[in-house]
Amino acid sequence: MPHKILIVEDEEKIARFLELELKYEGYIVEKAYDGRTGLEKALENDFSLIILDIMLPGLNGVEVCRRIRQSSEIPIIMLTAKDSTMDKVMGLDTGADDYVTKPFAIEELLARIRVALKHNNLAAIKASNILSINGLKLDQNKHLVTYCNNPIELTKKEFDFLKYLMENKNMVLTREQILQKVWGYSYFGDTNVVDVYVRYLRSKIDDKFKKKFIHTIRGVGYLIKDE
């Protein structure tokens, strides 16, 4: 699916030029000519990237960037007619990912857009490897579990068990399903091992932090609730 880009630029000729170039590259484009409209569009729509001019009527680009950053990590490339270090620092300090000084070569801007989108895709992939339920976080990349930033020491089997429960949150999993997924199809041991590991997890998470995560459904199995 093509990336959708928002251009917030009050100079209509520049906005139109950017729109044509980006559409030629295969992007979907929307435009706004003032800061307030740009902010509304940014917050109400699902864009892949924002090209944001600093000098805008209504709200300036730095303020628009600051407000977007309160709720979104969308890549933002700022455009500025000023080549001053202070403008660049202000833009980057408010959360912009990059800046381009006018006049600019379109090839340079397109290259910076590709880099920003690539970084954002990598961040999204990394974030997708973190499971989170009510303050309980499981980071698959770091093999780390925390509750409200308090680390929880788990064995590999406990980690795998918790991961399976969190991946299937709000779903009741039978002992047989858990055994097959966590212990493997070749496991022929007693299904009571699941109950034992539930006790291990509860002692390290539920009991320790006085919060009930793992629920027993009598006669069926277990689930972890996201309330």
Side-chain angles (χ1 to χ4, degrees), residues 158-175:
E158 290 166 351
F159 183 92
D160 292 343
F161 189 178
L162 180 63
K163 175 173 170 280
Y164 184 49
L165 289 171
M166 293 180 74
E167 285 175 334
N168 296 277
K169 62 184 181 181
N170 300 321
M171 289 177 56
V172 182
L173 302 171
T174 66
R175 289 173 178 79

Side-chain angles (χ1 to χ4, degrees), residues 71-90:
S71 59
S72 172
E73 291 301 316
I74 181 175
I76 296 174
I77 297 177
M78 301 201 84
L79 300 180
T80 173
K82 301 176 180 178
D83 195 15
S84 77
T85 302
M86 185 54 66
D87 281 326
K88 295 171 184 174
V89 169
M90 281 177 62

